Amino acid sequence: MTPDFTRPCVKDLEAYKVVPPDYNIIVNANENPFDFPDALKKELNDTILDMSLNRYPDPSATALREQLSDYTGIDADQIICGCGSDEIMSMLNQTFINPGDVVISHAPSFSMYQIWSVIGGADFVWVPDTEDLTPDVENIINTAKRTNAKMIYLCSPNNPTGSLLPRHDVADILEETNALVVLDEAYIEFKKEGDLTEIVNEYNNVIVLRTLSKAFGLAGIRCGYAVGPKPLIDMMYKVKSPYNLNKLTQAAAVIALKHRDTLLENVTILNSERQRLYEFLKGLKGITRVYPTASNFIYFEVPDGAPLYAALLDEGILVKYLKHDVSDDVDHIRLTVGSPEENDAVIKVLKRSLS
Ligand code: PMP
């Protein structure tokens, strides 16, 4: 028998599951339906031909951070890059969380906040949203005070609900708690009114997470980044594994940022498709609630999601089915906005199943 080496907090975890991608239409993971354009793949190809792959990559991703600085308006030395923002969360954990510390977030939100915290030995607390599925700011503040929380994850636009946290709410949480606030803006480019990233130059207890996986359509290259006050980012560099971001990722990300105006044109298409889907869903009898969204996905409530999920799967369409995600008596579906053709196919099945 294998000796029992595993830490107790890891033993009880379930490994992160992903559904195998053998579906015609994949609208379950909030990916961008538009691939990196061929012209940019060719540019990447040429860059790779000039690369010495026998040598390690730049450990601090200097060229990439300069591009990110130009994009976000934040100094390059206030930025750290990771293998997706998932890796950044792991670094946050290793840098700031001791076993027994309390980490909180609003529910429902991104499951990895809890998973990383539990792996770090923290006590994790979900603070339920208000009835309209927006973060309950007062309860977040009270819970943080009561538990002396070390870290608070806020997600805006939030996965899976699409809700936004206005700046004054984030500021209240920053001012009224002693916690390090991590504001996850993975989907921020889909919000029409801009980001809150500059808040890191106003407060000393906030870090903002961003990624190239969503609006930039580069989930496959794994590139996320954190932006924050320099003293906090400097501490994160101490735990970063030396060559975490490989040369191919760094090169692809630099090309993407140089051509950001072209790539982000897709956001305009996706936001107009989001509006089309939203209005369609609102008009369907079988859907009991559709939540407003500032992201590239829509969260809606159905009394029983199982038959709808099965009908979609029958047509090769994969959505995220969240059985009893919020309450015990209803189900929720999170639908990623796809290409116009993909959305037409989804609409067809939903019409047939729910009207
Ligand atoms: N934050 C949120 C809210 C997400 O939904 C995701 C991915 N689904 C991530 C972070 C992780 O993104 P990545 O690791 O691809 O940067």
Side-chain angles (χ1 to χ4, degrees):
M1 214 169 87
T2 315
D4 188 9
F5 295 124
T6 313
R7 295 162 61 214
C9 62
V10 173
K11 243 194 230 171
D12 295 339
L13 282 176
E14 270 191 47
Y16 196 88
K17 278 198 208 86
V18 284
V19 190
D22 50 355
Y23 294 88
N24 301 331
I25 297 180
I26 298 172
V27 279
N28 72 324
N30 304 339
E31 291 155 325
N32 193 316
F34 302 113
D35 195 2
F36 209 40
D38 279 356
L40 301 195
K41 283 187 180 170
K42 288 202 178 86
E43 196 173 326
L44 177 60
N45 211 11
D46 292 343
T47 315
I48 291 171
L49 289 175
D50 283 339
M51 250 177 216
S52 35
L53 294 180
N54 56 321
R55 302 289 176 195
Y56 284 113
D58 173 3
S60 50
T62 315
L64 172 55
R65 284 185 305 108
E66 276 161 11
Q67 285 294 330
L68 288 169
S69 170
D70 193 50
Y71 175 48
T72 59
I74 308 292
D75 283 356
D77 62 3
Q78 291 178 249
I79 302 174
I80 185 166
C81 299
C83 184
S85 37
D86 280 336
E87 190 198 14
I88 305 271
M89 287 171 213
S90 164
M91 289 185 211
L92 286 169
N93 212 39
Q94 293 175 67
T95 312
F96 302 112
I97 299 301
N98 274 315
D101 281 347
V102 172
V103 180
I104 71 180
S105 187
H106 46 96
S109 194
F110 187 42
S111 58
M112 290 309 295
Y113 305 150
Q114 179 175 30
I115 293 171
W116 285 123
S117 304
V118 168
I119 290 171
D123 291 328
F124 189 87
V125 182
W126 287 113
V127 177
D129 277 352
T130 58
E131 199 273 331
D132 64 352
L133 289 197
T134 55
D136 185 341
V137 174
E138 203 182 319
N139 200 358
I140 292 172
I141 292 172
N142 290 338
T143 307
K145 283 183 173 162
R146 195 182 65 246
T147 59
N148 194 23
K150 184 75 177 286
M151 196 187 278
I152 302 174
Y153 278 103
L154 305 175
C155 190
S156 178
N158 183 45
N159 174 12
T161 58
S163 67
L164 283 174
L165 266 163
R167 194 182 199 284
H168 62 87
D169 281 341
V170 177
D172 283 351
I173 296 169
L174 284 164
E175 284 165 22
E176 292 188 34
T177 72
N178 296 322
L180 168 58
V181 173
V182 178
L183 173 63
D184 187 347
E185 291 195 320
Y187 299 94
I188 198 64
E189 286 89 351
F190 297 103
K191 176 190 168 206
K192 293 201 172 113
E193 308 79 26
D195 59 76
L196 296 184
T197 307
E198 42 65 45
I199 207 165
V200 302
N201 283 335
E202 207 173 313
Y203 291 88
N204 60 11
N205 58 331
V206 61
I207 286 177
V208 175
L209 303 187
R210 307 270 302 254
T211 181
L212 299 191
S213 294
K214 307 298 179 180
F216 280 86
L218 284 171
I221 70 161
R222 310 305 298 125
C223 181
Y225 54 105
V227 172
K230 189 170 180 304
L232 297 181
I233 297 295
D234 283 349
M235 290 299 143
M236 292 175 71
Y237 271 100
K238 298 186 182 201
V239 308
K240 186 180 85 59
S241 76
Y243 305 109
N244 64 326
L245 216 58
N246 69 70
K247 281 191 177 175
L248 309 185
T249 295
Q250 293 191 33
V254 166
I255 291 170
L257 285 153
K258 277 191 189 151
H259 294 280
R260 59 182 177 265
D261 290 348
T262 310
L263 283 177
L264 294 178
E265 278 169 16
N266 288 332
V267 170
T268 313
I269 300 171
L270 291 171
N271 281 357
S272 108
E273 281 296 296
R274 169 178 81 194
Q275 188 61 22
R276 178 166 81 98
L277 275 174
Y278 182 79
E279 275 155 25
F280 165 75
L281 293 168
K282 286 276 253 190
L284 274 185
K285 270 206 317 282
I287 295 184
T288 34
R289 207 157 170 183
V290 186
Y291 290 87
T293 176
S295 200
N296 67 335
F297 49 83
I298 304 177
Y299 191 67
F300 60 89
E301 178 191 293
V302 279
D304 177 10
L308 176 61
Y309 185 63
L312 287 160
L313 281 184
D314 272 352
E315 298 295 328
I317 299 172
L318 183 64
V319 295
K320 179 95 171 173
Y321 172 33
L322 298 128
K323 192 164 177 56
H324 303 332
D325 192 33
V326 181
S327 98
D328 271 337
D329 40 19
V330 289
D331 285 349
H332 290 86
I333 304 271
R334 191 195 64 199
L335 172 67
T336 305
V337 178
S339 66
E341 301 71 37
E342 289 174 331
N343 300 332
D344 285 344
V346 171
I347 285 174
K348 209 164 133 195
V349 180
L350 290 175
K351 223 184 235 169
R352 204 173 57 220
S353 311
L354 293 178
S355 45

